[in-house]
Amino acid sequence: MYLVTMLGNLLIILSVTSDPHLHTPMYFFLSNLSLADIGFISTTVPKMIVDIQTHSRVISYDGCLTQMSIDILFGYMDCTLLTVMAYDRFLAICQPLHYKVIMNPCLCCFLVLVSFFVSLLDSQVHNLIVLQLTCFKNVEISNFFCDPSQLLKLACSDTSTNNIVVYFLGAITSFLPITGIFFSYYKILSSILRVPSSCGRYKAFTTCGSHLAVVCLFYGTALGVYLGSAVSQSPRKDAVASVMYTVVTPMLNPFIYSLRNRDIKRAMWRFISKTI
């Protein structure tokens, strides 16, 4: 699954960069999303593979904090980039005449940089919260990576304040992207329904169908993990849900975009034929 994820996302990045026809904002954001998926899955799975091969389940204190910070960084960057891509689709469908003027290269780069720095800020806030925990040594984590929600449960001191901060931060950082995506698709749907011909409505909807599928997959698994961990007390179920969120979702994203997008398929075949 790790090799398939790496290969699929690398193919998308190389196809977009090698084909001049794909040098558009939508595919620029898509290649950045693939890059974030590569970083997201590479934070946890290689360490897990090494642990399986060496029969060791030990991670250092510094290694745990580093893994948690990078995991949150790329995970939340996925979230923000999906919001940016929804905004891009909103402009392309609802304001097509102004699209190229508004979504210029400078704005595209600015939106990606904002996504990165907001994600970095979120990861460092979580890092600071975990750094304040006491008795955080020689403990057992009921997961295959350093999940912040699991780390908070291991503290010897009272973590009620930290839990409030974490849940408040999670609510804010989740509410804003989800609101942006819902607002964009509300406007998109309203615009599509005003198109007189069914062929025109279908063509407009297919431009955002892949993105909508990825959004449902990403948020569906993410909400399943956090709601499941809040309701269920089974560490095994939490670990299985985490696999869906951290491994399966990054693996399926390239398939969703490549199978539903003719331009990506053509660019991939051109790149593979040139390479061969």
Side-chain angles (χ1 to χ4, degrees), residues 168-190:
F168 177 77
L169 182 66
I172 293 296
T173 54
S174 300
F175 175 76
L176 293 177
I178 291 174
T179 303
I181 291 172
F182 268 110
F183 176 78
S184 297
Y185 274 102
Y186 167 74
K187 291 291 187 180
I188 288 170
L189 186 61
S190 301

Side-chain angles (χ1 to χ4, degrees), residues 55 66 78 117 120:
H55 301 284
T66 303
D78 264 0
F117 284 113
L120 182 63

